[in-house]
Structure formats: structure tokens, C-alpha cells
């Protein structure tokens, strides 16, 4: 089975939309009358949640005139937030068909279908012409992509000159190995975590000029520790990340937090620009 097929298998649940709508009802929301804020905690599936999305969007300069591509868009949380909060027009691409189906459904339920659309496809063969987007974002996606040279070349191709590529991925900070399973991979063979230097050199090889880099390890640790404290006090939220991770989610998250604390992994932002 090839890498992309493994990724689809890893993330597919088969009943994700049903479980999500049940969780919304359990939290007192009306699935037939949803607002984007009702989905907070479920559809921002990356370290730092909405705060991390806001920070990335602000630093990337996303605004009401922006045409944004979200690479590896999952069930659509960041894409909808870019539209709802910043007024952008957004297209998300994801490899997992179930994620795309759920993303489209939630976008219609939240009334954002006029601003946000989704396609199923590979980040290594983006279904767009050249120079179409002002900003491309990628939040916690690169850990599943081995061929980052092809990824960066494709993003470079579809961005307009002057366009920004904003990345927020978990990256390797030491030669030590993290403990598996992790949220994106059950075994080391399916994990493709790169170093910040590998990212920046790969982006430059694709033609980008790298503008800035920020290690968000402390931010990530604090976010995860707050989540642990809430769970210990109130029990797991039905709209938390375990909705996507499934029943083996707690050890995956515990291993990730341990890797952050040990300095083995960290969430890192990198911003690059197409000249």
C-alpha cells in the first residue's frame, strides 16, 4: 500500500459525520442551525486550535480580498475560519474522501458555502492552474507527506507572484525518536516529520524566499496541558480531537506532549513568499 493510501486509511472513520452531529447535540447545539463557533474544538484539529489558526492567518496577511488555498484541509475548520473571521474566499484540498465530504456538509450547515469550497485530491498534484492564490496555508499536514520537494513545488506553482505560503507543522527538533503512536501515524514508517531546516531549504529550492520561522513549543505544551486539566476535571469533551483520532487518541496525544516536553518535536510556523 502506498503512502497516500496509508494516509487515507489512517484518517478514515466511516461514520465521522454521524458522530460529529451526535456530539454537537450532546453539547446542546442544533445541527440544523449551526454557527461556525459551534464547531470550535472539533474542526480545528491542530495544536493550539483557533488561536493557532488566528495567528497564522494574521501573520500571512489573510483579509477580505484574499483567495486562500488550504492544503490538507481536514474537515474544514481553518478554511471556514479564514472565511468567517477574515472574509477570505477559500478552497480546501484533502486526500481523505470522508474528510472532504464532512467539510462540505459542515460548510453548508454553517452558511459558508458561498465562500468556502473543497476538493478531494493530492497535495502533490493540486487541481488548479498556475498563479491562482494569494495565500496557501498548511496546518499539521507535512508529517504525512514524504515528498516535500513535490509539495513545495506544487504550492509555489499555484501561488501568485508575491503570494505567501504559511506553514504550521509539527517538526523534528532533535535526533531522538518520539514514542509511537502519534496523532498522524501509528508507526515510524508512516511518519515524515522534517526539521525546520529541511522545510526552509526545501522551500527555497522550490523558488520561495523564506521570511520567518517561529518555534511554538511552549505554546503547544501549554495548550495540551490545559486540555489535560479540563479532561481531568470534566471528562473528555465529545467535540474534542478524540472525535477524529478515535479510541486510541489519549495515548497518541500523551506521546505527542511527551515529545514536546523532551524537545524532540515542536509545532513550528514558517512563512515564505513567492517572488
Amino acid at each position: 500500500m502506498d503512502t497516500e493510501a496509508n494516509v487515507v486509511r489512517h484518517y478514515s472513520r466511516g461514520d465521522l459525520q454521524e458522530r460529529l452531529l451526535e456530539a454537537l447535540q450532546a453539547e446542546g447545539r442544533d445541527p440544523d442551525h449551526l454557527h461556525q463557533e459551534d464547531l470550535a474544538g472539533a474542526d480545528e484539529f491542530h495544536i493550539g486550535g483557533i488561536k493557532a489558526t488566528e495567528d497564522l492567518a494574521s501573520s500571512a496577511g489573510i483579509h477580505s480580498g484574499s483567495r486562500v488555498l488550504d492544503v490538507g484541509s481536514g474537515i474544514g475548520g481553518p478554511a471556514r475560519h479564514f472565511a468567517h473571521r477574515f472574509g477570505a474566499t477559500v478552497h480546501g484540498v484533502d486526500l481523505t474522501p470522508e474528510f472532504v465530504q464532512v467539510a462540505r456538509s459542515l460548510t453548508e450547515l454553517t452558511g459558508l458555502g458561498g465562500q468556502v469550497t473543497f476538493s478531494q485530491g493530492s497535495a502533490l498534484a493540486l487541481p488548479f492552474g498556475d498563479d491562482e492564490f494569494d495565500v496557501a496555508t498548511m496546518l499539521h499536514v507535512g508529517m504525512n507527506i514524504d515528498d516535500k520537494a513535490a509539495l513545495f513545488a506544487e504550492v509555489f506553482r499555484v501561488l501568485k507572484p508575491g503570494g505567501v505560503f504559511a506553514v504550521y507543522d509539527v517538526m523534528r527538533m532533535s535526533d531522538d525518536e518520539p514514542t509511537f503512536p502519534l496523532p498522524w501515524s501509528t508507526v515510524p514508517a508512516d511518519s515524515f516529520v522534517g526539521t525546520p531546516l529541511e522545510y526552509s531549504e526545501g522551500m527555497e529550492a522550490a523558488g520561495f524566499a523564506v521570511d520567518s520561522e517561529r518555534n511554538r513549543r511552549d505554546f503547544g505544551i501549554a495548550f495540551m496541558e490545559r486540555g489535560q486539566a479540563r479532561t481531568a476535571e470534566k471528562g473528555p469533551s465529545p467535540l474534542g480531537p478524540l472525535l477524529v483520532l478515535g479510541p486510541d487518541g489519549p495515548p497518541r496525544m500523551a506521546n505527542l506532549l511527551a515529545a514536546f516536553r523532551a524537545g524532540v518535536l515542536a509545532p513550528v510556523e514558517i512563512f515564505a513568499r513567492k517572488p
Side-chain angles (χ1 to χ4, degrees):
M1 189 175 289
D2 65 25
T3 298
E4 291 192 337
N6 281 340
V7 171
V8 171
R9 180 174 54 84
H10 177 77
Y11 288 111
S12 297
R13 294 289 174 264
D15 62 349
L16 180 57
Q17 180 157 326
E18 291 80 1
R19 291 192 296 122
L20 177 57
L21 295 178
E22 289 172 1
L24 286 165
Q25 290 179 318
E27 291 277 293
R29 278 88 160 181
D30 180 357
D32 294 323
H33 299 88
L34 283 180
H35 299 283
Q36 177 57 23
E37 293 88 346
D38 293 331
L39 298 169
D43 67 350
E44 298 278 347
F45 188 54
H46 50 266
I47 301 301
I50 287 177
K51 170 62 174 164
T53 304
E54 288 264 347
D55 291 348
L56 194 80
S58 296
S59 295
I62 293 175
H63 55 78
S64 61
S66 299
R67 188 171 186 215
V68 179
L69 171 66
D70 189 29
V71 179
S73 48
I75 61 172
R80 284 188 295 273
H81 193 75
F82 297 149
H84 175 69
R85 171 70 175 79
F86 295 91
T89 300
V90 189
H91 192 96
V93 174
D94 201 276
L95 193 62
T96 304
E98 185 177 20
F99 278 1
V100 174
Q101 182 267 319
V102 174
R104 289 171 173 164
S105 177
L106 293 178
T107 300
E108 291 302 318
L109 289 171
T110 54
L112 291 168
Q115 286 177 263
V116 187
T117 53
F118 297 93
S119 295
Q120 189 277 327
S122 170
L124 307 183
L126 293 169
F128 305 106
D130 298 349
D131 305 337
E132 288 200 24
F133 295 94
D134 302 297
V135 178
T137 59
M138 190 171 79
L139 292 86
H140 286 27
V141 174
M143 305 93 73
N144 284 125
I145 298 177
D146 186 17
D147 191 354
K148 291 184 177 59
L151 164 68
F152 298 152
E154 273 295 272
V155 174
F156 185 88
R157 180 183 66 79
V158 301
L159 277 175
K160 298 175 182 177
V164 173
F165 184 22
V167 173
Y168 178 54
D169 269 354
V170 175
M171 301 188 191
R172 181 182 294 275
M173 310 308 293
S174 82
D175 292 333
D176 295 332
E177 288 295 329
T179 300
F180 285 81
L182 290 163
W184 60 88
S185 176
T186 309
V187 295
D190 293 332
S191 178
F192 306 104
V193 181
T195 67
L197 182 60
E198 288 168 346
Y199 271 74
S200 60
E201 288 183 343
M203 290 175 178
E204 289 170 350
F208 286 103
V210 176
D211 291 336
S212 65
E213 175 187 314
R214 179 164 64 151
N215 184 323
R216 307 215 67 185
R217 173 177 174 264
D218 292 344
F219 168 76
I221 290 172
F223 174 82
M224 295 185 75
E225 288 179 342
R226 287 194 300 272
Q228 282 188 334
R230 284 194 300 269
T231 298
E233 179 183 353
K234 301 179 180 179
S237 167
L239 285 173
L242 301 189
L243 188 69
V244 176
L245 286 176
D248 62 345
R252 291 175 186 267
M253 298 302 288
N255 288 341
L256 182 59
L257 178 55
F260 286 175
R261 286 171 171 162
V264 176
L265 302 176
V268 177
E269 291 176 341
I270 298 180
F271 295 90
R273 189 175 301 273
K274 180 175 179 176

